[in-house]
């Protein structure tokens, strides 16, 4: 099939690779424009942009698709279908309707639960036991189109958003090429979403990142793993007489009780409003992530000390 691929981050790269590997003709790749990044703030191409160039594919990076000029350029590609994976730009009606078979989107939740920007993080932060990756036909609403294919994923107790992202990235790529194969045979089934149980996964704001140890341990644990590795849930600790911000990368539920935020033992068990969590992997500002034992060797937090 003649495919226009639209994606930007690492999450989208395996799907592009699978589509090319299955012999589809990728007539163009659309990605977000290069952005300043790194200490030197030099403009950096997106992961999809870089991979597409390595594959010798034409890449377009418009800042908007609302102009008649951009819409005419897109329509002139005469695509059979557009595949959208975490692209990051709103697709107006003219773009959605340009390919003969419309636009298929890869979405990281079990719709209609967690429509929107941050479905992976929100599923874990809310303690969901299951999620999934889905191929859906795009419409003008926010993730409201019919669902074509689903792959369900169990969220294990200590799975982080990063772990789930990587799992979805692989499963989603396979799911999309299976959907394209079915579409090419005229056998891609669609099911309208149930309008009951709709939840929106709003973008994670920096203000949400601070850990509140007064909450129950399960909530604290879900918060930590839902924001790991980015943007990272954090707290403040006094280390060598100076308060420092520390990101918690991994945690687990633990036995214990005490004043919320107090250090209960040398294994970095921290009391919560109910129960306790054990901090497994931490990262001080400007340093790499390290396990709790190595962290404690430098931080030397005392039993009974309080972090917040």
């Amino acid at each position: 099939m003649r495919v226009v691929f639209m994606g930007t981050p690492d999450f989208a790269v395996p799907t592009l690779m699978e589509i090319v590997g299955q012999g589809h003709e990728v007539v163009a790749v659309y990605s977000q424009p290069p952005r300043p990044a790194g200490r030197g703030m030099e403009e950096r191409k997106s992961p999809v942009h870089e991979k597409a160039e390595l594959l010798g594919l034409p890449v377009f990076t418009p800042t908007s698709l609302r102009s008649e000029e951009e819409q005419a350029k897109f329509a002139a590609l005469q695509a059979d279908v557009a595949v959208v994976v975490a692209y990051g730009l709103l697709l107006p009606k003219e773009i959605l309707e340009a390919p003969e078979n419309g636009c298929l989107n890869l979405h990281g939740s079990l719709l209609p639960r967690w429509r929107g920007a941050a479905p992976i993080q929100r599923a874990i932060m809310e303690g969901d036991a299951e999620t999934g990756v889905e191929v859906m036909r795009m419409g003008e609403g926010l993730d409201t189109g019919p669902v074509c294919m689903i792959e369900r994923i169990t969220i294990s107790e200590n799975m982080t958003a990063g772990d789930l992202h990587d799992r979805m990235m692989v499963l989603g790529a396979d799911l999309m090429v299976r959907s394209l194969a079915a579409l090419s045979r005229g056998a891609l089934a669609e099911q309208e979403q149930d309008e009951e149980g709709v939840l929106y996964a709003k973008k994670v704001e920096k203000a949400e990142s601070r850990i509140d140890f007064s909450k129950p341990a399960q909530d604290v644990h879900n918060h930590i793993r839902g924001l790991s590795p980015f943007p990272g849930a954090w707290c403040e600790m006094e280390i060598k007489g100076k308060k420092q911000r520390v990101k918690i990368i991994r945690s687990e539920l633990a036995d214990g009780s005490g004043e919320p935020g107090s250090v209960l033992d040398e294994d970095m068990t921290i009391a919560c409003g109910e129960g306790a969590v054990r901090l497994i992997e931490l990262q001080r500002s400007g340093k790499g992530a390290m396990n709790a034992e190595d962290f404690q060797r430098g931080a030397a937090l005392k039993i009974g000390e309080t972090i917040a």
Side-chain angles (χ1 to χ4, degrees):
M1 301 185 77
R2 286 176 61 84
V3 178
V4 171
F5 186 84
M6 311 179 84
T8 297
D10 287 325
F11 185 82
V13 171
T15 304
L16 173 61
M17 296 292 290
E18 281 292 315
I19 290 171
V20 172
Q22 291 296 318
H24 295 286
E25 182 186 2
V26 179
V27 294
V29 172
Y30 278 71
S31 194
Q32 287 279 304
R35 309 285 192 201
R39 290 189 175 182
M41 295 302 287
E42 295 181 1
E43 287 203 340
R44 184 177 298 172
K45 296 174 182 176
S46 76
V48 165
H49 189 160
E50 290 183 343
K51 182 59 68 174
E53 287 190 335
L54 286 175
L55 294 170
L57 301 173
V59 181
F60 301 118
T61 59
T63 57
S64 170
L65 293 168
R66 292 187 176 278
S67 72
E68 291 184 4
E69 180 183 357
E70 286 295 342
Q71 291 167 10
K73 183 190 297 186
F74 188 88
L77 295 169
Q78 298 183 316
D80 294 318
V81 64
V83 170
V84 183
V85 186
Y87 176 38
L89 276 187
L90 180 68
L91 304 189
K93 181 180 179 181
E94 292 79 6
I95 297 293
L96 294 171
E97 295 180 349
E100 182 178 348
N101 294 285
C103 301
L104 298 181
N105 178 51
L106 190 67
H107 183 79
S109 81
L110 296 176
L111 294 167
R113 186 173 178 84
W114 302 130
R115 294 175 179 174
I120 294 175
Q121 292 94 331
R122 295 297 175 189
I124 293 180
M125 290 170 77
E126 288 298 313
D128 290 2
E130 183 184 48
T131 187
V133 62
E134 298 184 339
V135 172
M136 58 171 290
R137 182 172 296 284
M138 296 181 72
E140 290 187 79
L142 178 62
D143 299 329
T144 57
V147 175
C148 304
M149 283 193 176
I150 302 173
E151 192 76 48
R152 293 179 179 272
I153 302 170
T154 298
I155 302 178
S156 59
E157 183 179 70
N158 295 323
M159 179 180 276
T160 67
D163 297 334
L164 182 54
H165 168 282
D166 293 350
R167 179 78 172 131
M168 282 187 177
M169 189 166 62
V170 175
L171 289 176
D174 178 67
L175 194 68
M176 183 58 79
V177 294
R178 285 193 277 135
S179 296
L180 290 179
L183 181 64
S184 68
R185 301 191 304 268
L188 185 63
E190 299 180 7
Q191 182 173 341
E192 296 294 333
Q193 292 184 41
D194 190 342
E195 286 306 309
E196 291 186 9
V198 174
L199 280 178
Y200 288 95
K202 65 178 182 178
K203 181 181 177 181
V204 175
E205 302 292 341
K206 287 185 178 180
E208 297 179 76
S209 299
R210 187 164 192 162
I211 300 169
D212 182 357
F213 289 105
S214 70
K215 292 183 176 181
Q218 184 67 68
D219 292 349
V220 173
H221 179 52
N222 292 344
H223 183 226
I224 290 169
R225 62 198 186 101
L227 297 183
S228 175
F230 182 83
W234 61 272
C235 59
E236 284 187 337
M237 303 181 183
E238 189 168 315
I239 300 174
K240 296 180 179 178
K242 182 180 179 182
K243 277 194 174 182
Q244 295 191 30
R245 181 178 293 197
V246 179
K247 285 186 179 181
I248 312 303
I249 309 299
R250 289 187 184 271
S251 62
E252 64 182 16
L253 295 174
D255 295 327
S257 62
E259 185 70 22
S262 60
V263 180
L264 299 180
D265 58 30
E266 294 179 352
D267 295 326
M268 295 292 289
T269 302
I270 310 299
C272 300
E274 295 175 13
V277 294
R278 181 171 294 113
L279 309 185
I280 304 298
E281 189 175 352
L282 308 90
Q283 183 176 13
R284 291 165 65 177
S285 181
K287 298 184 179 294
M290 61 185 71
N291 62 41
E293 183 179 355
D294 290 340
F295 179 88
Q296 261 291 62
R297 193 172 292 118
L301 297 180
K302 296 179 175 60
I303 296 175
E305 193 170 336
T306 299
I307 66 176

